[in-house]
Amino acid sequence: MVFDKWNECSLGELANLKYGKTIRKKELSDDGYPVFSGYAIVGYLPTFDYEEPQLIIVCRGVGGTGDIKLSPAKSSITNLSIIIDSDPSKIDKSFLYWYLKHADTHSLRTGSAQPQIVIKDLEKFKIKIPPMSEQKAIANILSTLDEKIETNNQINEKLEEMAQALFKHWFVDFEFPNENGKPYKSSGGEMVESELGMIPKGWKVSKLSELITLYDSKRIPLSKNERDKREKIYPYYGASSLMDYVDDYIFDGVYVLLGEDGTVIDELGYPILQYVWGKFWVNNHAHVIKGKNDYSEEFVYMLLKNTNVSSAVTGAVQLKINQKNLKNLSVVIPEDTDLIKQFSGILNYQFSIIRNNSDQNKVLTSIRDNLLPKLMSGEIRVPLDDEVLSEQN
């Protein structure tokens, strides 16, 4: 086998390993260059240690010990991670990143109360490497897939930011286009008193129940034990995130999920939302919402993102937003739904791109994750030019 001809080396032969530095909390600020722990950006400093992203392994902390990460550019790294400074004459840095992502680095953990990885054990970790040209070719395939996924994520983030900005401009600042196409409020549009403050003439304060339909009665919670017995096919959502995958679905289509209990609001009082589509399952910790009449799910999603729901929250220890309080939330909307239709046309196009990019990412992620073990084992070979192949054989 070709894989038998790959050289086996210890990581210590291929890279210099060192711990990140100890950084005290009082040294950190809210701006500057990021300080990366391996888990997250924990603060900022006025200077940075590393211009380029560094390959690291999380070596201690709560959960995630053994995870392989790349630090942000122009950052510093804390002592919760080990920096893997590879020798470019021996191994391609990107290949090493993907190799370690595939390898069982979590097996290096020692200790039970708080598992850790130490440099002396990491230095002994064995790696099989092909010739440099093949390393670069393998890394290029995986990195290209990863870059496309990241590009799609960035596009989606920008599209949602644009949708949010437009919603705020029209429905919060009341600068929607008037009959002459000019911004309503700043062009002298008439404003009238309401229970929620000054609103445009021809608008009204309504209850959220006029805009949405709840499908909470269809929800079915599944215990982790039940989910573990099922094949992982369809998303299983909880109050604030995707929790698992199961072998069946309850819902099919575009919906908005709003946290019902547990994690229900952010620090400013805005609801925890998920915009979901396709076939999926939801437990009993998230309200399942669709828009009704002329109100699309996308409009409802943006409306709720801009609605403070603190008044609807009950409970001191376990926060909850019940159905009655959710339906009774007051919102400001135009009486003439033509504006809603005009806005929804823009919004629906943007969100169709978001859905397509996200669906494409699922396919790309599956391809990448299936290719990774096969490329790293030599089961699948990367096509190289004839000259290089003859040298390797």
Side-chain angles (χ1 to χ4, degrees), residues 31 75 89 96 108 124 126 133 135 180 218 222 237 291 316:
D31 55 38
S75 68
S89 69
L96 180 58
L108 295 169
K124 298 173 186 174
K126 296 297 183 183
S133 56
Q135 290 179 39
N180 299 316
K218 293 183 66 177
L222 295 173
Y237 293 101

Side-chain angles (χ1 to χ4, degrees), residues 21-238:
K21 68 181 182 181
T22 301
I23 301 174
R24 294 184 294 273
K25 224 176 232 186
K26 65 181 182 180
E27 298 177 65
L28 301 173
S29 66
D30 295 329
D31 55 38
Y33 297 99
V35 175
F36 191 59
S37 69
Y39 296 96
I41 292 172
V42 295
Y44 298 85
L45 291 173
T47 60
F48 58 87
D49 292 329
Y50 302 101
E51 178 86 26
E52 299 295 327
Q54 299 298 300
L55 176 58
I56 64 173
I57 181 169
V58 180
C59 63
R60 64 175 70 87
V62 182
T65 301
D67 288 356
I68 303 299
K69 303 283 184 69
L70 286 172
S71 67
K74 294 185 178 178
S75 68
S76 299
I77 298 165
T78 76
N79 60 352
L80 294 181
S81 291
I82 294 171
I83 300 160
I84 304 170
D85 185 14
S86 56
D87 183 342
S89 69
K90 296 178 180 178
I91 191 164
D92 178 73
K93 179 180 177 179
S94 184
F95 174 84
L96 180 58
Y97 166 78
W98 287 110
Y99 189 98
L100 293 175
K101 288 282 280 187
H102 162 64
D104 185 18
T105 50
H106 296 87
S107 64
L108 295 169
R109 293 181 294 194
T110 58
S112 53
Q114 189 178 61
Q116 63 175 334
I117 293 173
V118 296
I119 285 179
K120 66 180 179 64
D121 292 335
L122 189 58
E123 286 177 330
K124 298 173 186 174
F125 191 75
K126 296 297 183 183
I127 296 175
K128 280 196 169 184
I129 57 173
M132 184 63 73
S133 56
E134 195 164 357
Q135 290 179 39
K136 290 181 180 294
I138 290 171
N140 182 61
I141 289 174
L142 296 169
S143 295
T144 299
L145 289 168
D146 220 39
E147 286 164 9
K148 176 57 177 171
I149 292 168
E150 180 57 27
T151 297
N152 283 345
N153 287 335
Q154 290 174 0
I155 291 171
N156 284 359
E157 186 178 328
K158 291 299 180 186
L159 284 170
E160 186 158 337
E161 285 176 4
M162 289 166 58
Q164 170 78 348
L166 185 63
F167 183 93
K168 185 176 182 298
H169 192 61
W170 283 25
F171 296 94
V172 178
D173 300 331
F174 304 127
E175 296 288 19
F176 55 90
N178 63 16
E179 63 275 10
N180 299 316
K182 300 290 182 66
Y184 180 85
K185 187 176 179 180
S186 59
S187 298
E190 186 177 353
M191 304 292 287
V192 297
E193 289 271 6
S194 81
E195 63 188 82
L196 294 180
M198 300 297 289
I199 63 174
K201 185 179 181 181
W203 287 46
K204 64 179 180 179
V205 175
S206 179
K207 298 299 182 186
L208 188 63
S209 57
E210 292 185 31
L211 283 68
I212 66 168
T213 301
L214 289 175
Y215 291 86
D216 292 3
S217 62
K218 293 183 66 177
R219 302 174 303 182
I220 303 173
L222 295 173
S223 68
K224 186 176 186 306
N225 186 48
E226 289 176 296
R227 299 197 307 271
D228 287 345
K229 296 173 185 176
R230 293 170 175 254
E231 192 176 353
K232 307 300 183 184
I233 303 173
Y234 302 105
Y236 178 90
Y237 293 101

Side-chain angles (χ1 to χ4, degrees), residues 152-153 155-157 159-160 233-237 242 244-245 248-257 273-282 287-290 297-298 301 347-363:
N152 283 345
N153 287 335
I155 291 171
N156 284 359
E157 186 178 328
L159 284 170
E160 186 158 337
I233 303 173
Y234 302 105
Y236 178 90
Y237 293 101
L242 171 65
D244 206 343
Y245 288 86
D248 203 352
Y249 61 92
I250 305 172
F251 302 97
D252 187 3
V254 178
Y255 290 79
V256 177
L257 307 183
L273 300 170
Q274 299 175 80
Y275 175 79
V276 299
W277 62 92
K279 297 177 172 68
F280 60 93
W281 195 297
V282 181
H287 293 295
V288 184
I289 302 168
K290 282 190 80 66
E297 287 72 40
E298 292 77 18
Y301 177 67
L347 207 61
N348 293 350
Y349 173 72
Q350 290 175 314
F351 274 81
S352 70
I353 298 173
I354 289 173
R355 292 195 301 271
N356 287 337
N357 284 344
S358 297
D359 290 341
Q360 185 182 66
N361 277 1
K362 289 177 184 176
V363 174

